[in-house]
Amino acid sequence: MEKKLAEYKCNTNEAIKLKLVRFPEDLEDDNTTFNPEYSHQVFGDDEVAFGYKGLKILLYYIAGNLSTLFRIEYTSKVNEKFDCVEADDVESKIREIVPPGFCTNTDDFVCLLEKEVNFRPFGMLLHTYSVHNEEAGEDITYQIYKADMTCPGFREYHERLQTFLMWFIETASFIDVDDERWNYFLVFEKYNKDGATLFATVGYMTVYNYYVYPDKTRPRVSQMLILPPFQGEGHGAQLLETVHRYYMSSPTVLDITAEDPSENYVKLRDFVLVKLCQDLPCFSAGNLMQGFSQEMVMEAQQKLKINKQHTRRVYEILRLRATDMGDAEQSRSYRLDIKRRLIGPYKKKQRELAKMRRCLRPEELTNQLNQIDLNMQHEQLEENFQQLVSHYRRVLERLAQA
């Protein structure tokens, strides 16, 4: 029986089929289908739906306004023969995150697709850029807009857009859209269909404006997502740079931060901030070789709204570019400069150890000393340094190609 029941378990990351539909023929084209990276927030940590064979959870979105087709298909479902075992209520789980008003049959969805020509991006246009598409052999135009909940139709559009977070951000949650301190930045692709110009959703970012006493704000990036069909084309960098430039012009903004940034976001931010800072006078090669300075902190904060911690990373990356690592003295100076910063947590442990010597009994102290292996700390410090330099080199390589 257990073996029989195991046949009715489906991996939900494989079962969920996502599409961004521009043309009716996209519905039958497997090349336009993509799958989630995560589904644990909807289907539990195992990311499994029980009770079905050949399960397909179809979530198709019209490319621009994201009107949705939701349908469940399967080849077989458990029934009463299985000792009263019930299939998971997949539909209810999906309905918890997909807003009402979706289509359940293809004909209705195609009718909505025909009206897509009337869809226009929300809010204020901030930036236009183009990316060369090798496959199409032409430049494709993209636009970035800033929107808010006062834009007609945006609230409903955002409800559909945010569903993608559940599939592509590991710890995603929906935000309180009634809080007016949220800003929304959207990326759209312009494309042609039967001679008309249409817009397709590419990705977006939400930013929360925190109050800083007495009269400043600190915008904090909360969520950022470029949809999978558009990833790897540079849209994330364009979006983050555009958002930075938008806030740079505001005298009330202190600096720009991010909430619990992922490793990929940190890599992206490093690239964008280095690109913005590299032409500031304080980051000239001569100044970089003198070491990290208060002038760098002040200029980056005042002109670009970058905080001290991020400015320090920018300095380290640009100093690496200015350093001849083949020169023993320059290489040693750079290594020591970076390690002085990296050693901070280790010095904290040593200060804690000094306190322990005064407070703990000998047997307790021995136990703590066993956990603080100085040789291991030196090895870890060197490993951290090498990983950091490797990442910095990748940032500089990307910068050279930009």
Side-chain angles (χ1 to χ4, degrees):
M1 176 61 73
E2 201 170 306
K3 188 177 179 183
K4 194 82 172 168
L5 290 174
E7 296 175 6
Y8 286 85
K9 288 183 177 179
C10 297
N11 181 320
T12 46
N13 289 340
E14 296 171 3
I16 296 167
K17 311 293 182 185
L18 302 164
K19 278 184 191 287
L20 294 166
V21 179
R22 302 185 184 195
F23 306 97
E25 49 267 34
D26 291 344
L27 292 166
E28 304 302 325
D29 184 357
D30 289 341
N31 292 324
T32 63
T33 304
F34 55 101
N35 301 94
E37 287 182 32
Y38 311 102
S39 56
H40 62 276
Q41 298 203 98
V42 179
F43 290 98
D45 290 344
D46 291 339
E47 298 182 321
V48 163
F50 171 74
Y52 306 87
K53 281 185 182 179
L55 178 65
K56 291 182 182 178
I57 303 167
L58 308 182
L59 281 169
Y60 296 171
Y61 296 79
I62 293 176
N65 71 17
L66 303 180
S67 293
T68 312
L69 170 68
F70 167 44
R71 200 167 67 228
I72 296 170
E73 298 176 355
Y74 49 85
T75 55
S76 174
K77 184 178 178 179
V78 293
N79 54 35
E80 61 277 1
K81 287 187 287 187
F82 288 90
D83 289 338
C84 300
V85 173
E86 288 187 16
D88 290 343
D89 189 350
V90 171
E91 183 172 336
S92 290
K93 291 178 185 290
I94 296 292
R95 281 178 178 271
E96 286 177 13
I97 64 162
V98 176
F102 53 79
C103 300
T104 55
N105 70 74
T106 305
D107 290 343
D108 290 344
F109 187 70
V110 171
C111 285
L112 289 176
L113 187 59
E114 291 169 1
K115 299 174 185 175
E116 177 74 347
V117 68
N118 300 316
F119 172 75
R120 289 292 177 268
F122 302 94
M124 173 177 65
L125 176 62
L126 297 180
H127 179 53
T128 300
Y129 63 99
S130 61
V131 174
H132 186 72
N133 184 290
E134 294 289 344
E135 196 176 320
E138 61 182 4
D139 289 344
I140 296 176
T141 301
Y142 298 87
Q143 295 184 326
I144 299 175
Y145 289 77
K146 176 187 174 288
D148 58 50
M149 286 298 155
T150 64
C151 301
F154 179 66
R155 181 182 291 263
E156 294 76 16
Y157 167 85
H158 178 263
E159 285 181 354
R160 299 188 290 271
L161 176 60
Q162 69 179 353
T163 60
F164 286 100
L165 298 177
M166 290 297 163
W167 312 128
F168 297 103
I169 295 182
E170 192 170 4
T171 56
S173 59
F174 293 162
I175 62 174
D176 176 10
V177 296
D178 291 321
D179 190 332
E180 295 177 357
R181 285 175 290 187
W182 285 107
N183 286 339
Y184 307 83
F185 299 88
L186 310 159
V187 188
F188 293 95
E189 177 193 332
K190 291 176 76 173
Y191 70 98
N192 292 316
K193 181 179 178 182
D194 301 328
T197 299
L198 279 74
F199 293 84
T201 299
V202 171
Y204 82 120
M205 178 191 289
T206 57
V207 181
Y208 192 79
N209 296 292
Y210 280 90
Y211 167 72
V212 180
Y213 181 84
D215 58 355
K216 299 287 185 184
T217 58
R218 174 172 281 131
R220 180 183 290 178
V221 176
S222 174
Q223 302 154 322
M224 180 178 181
L225 177 65
I226 301 299
L227 296 172
F230 303 96
Q231 289 175 6
E233 298 177 354
H235 302 296
Q238 289 282 353
L239 177 56
L240 186 55
E241 183 176 344
T242 299
V243 170
H244 253 275
R245 290 189 182 280
Y246 171 77
Y247 287 117
M248 275 160 44
S249 62
S250 172
T252 63
V253 169
L254 184 66
D255 53 38
I256 303 161
T257 62
E259 178 186 333
D260 192 19
S262 67
E263 188 178 328
N264 285 335
Y265 179 85
V266 171
K267 291 176 183 176
L268 180 68
R269 181 174 64 195
D270 283 343
F271 167 72
V272 169
L273 297 190
V274 169
K275 186 181 174 199
L276 289 170
C277 285
Q278 62 181 341
D279 295 325
L280 292 179
C282 64
F283 287 105
S284 67
N287 287 334
L288 289 165
M289 301 309 282
Q290 300 283 323
F292 188 54
S293 68
Q294 187 60 27
E295 286 72 28
M296 294 173 184
V297 175
M298 294 292 290
E299 193 167 3
Q301 195 273 325
Q302 290 172 0
K303 293 183 179 179
L304 303 176
K305 313 296 184 182
I306 301 172
N307 67 26
K308 183 177 180 179
Q309 180 186 355
H310 300 161
T311 303
R312 170 73 199 201
R313 283 179 73 91
V314 168
Y315 154 76
E316 291 177 2
I317 295 167
L318 289 175
R319 178 161 178 182
L320 177 61
R321 186 170 69 175
T323 299
D324 178 2
M325 294 301 276
D327 181 291
E329 184 54 40
Q330 286 192 36
S331 175
R332 179 177 179 275
S333 176
Y334 181 76
R335 189 172 65 254
L336 289 175
D337 189 35
I338 305 303
K339 285 189 174 181
R340 270 194 292 269
R341 177 179 69 80
L342 293 177
I343 207 168
Y346 301 102
K347 284 189 172 179
K348 184 182 177 185
K349 278 188 180 178
Q350 287 171 350
R351 287 195 297 271
E352 289 171 353
L353 180 59
K355 286 181 185 176
M356 290 175 193
R357 288 185 193 280
R358 296 194 296 270
C359 303
L360 297 181
R361 294 193 300 271
E363 62 271 19
E364 291 174 326
L365 184 60
T366 302
N367 185 40
Q368 290 296 327
L369 285 172
N370 289 338
Q371 296 176 32
I372 303 174
D373 184 331
L374 292 179
N375 287 332
M376 190 182 295
Q377 285 185 7
H378 285 301
E379 288 175 15
Q380 199 172 352
L381 186 64
E382 178 62 23
E383 185 181 336
N384 289 350
F385 171 75
Q386 293 298 342
Q387 286 176 351
L388 204 59
V389 169
S390 177
H391 163 60
Y392 287 173
R393 289 190 194 282
R394 288 193 292 272
V395 172
L396 292 171
E397 286 167 10
R398 184 176 180 184
L399 197 65
Q401 296 166 3

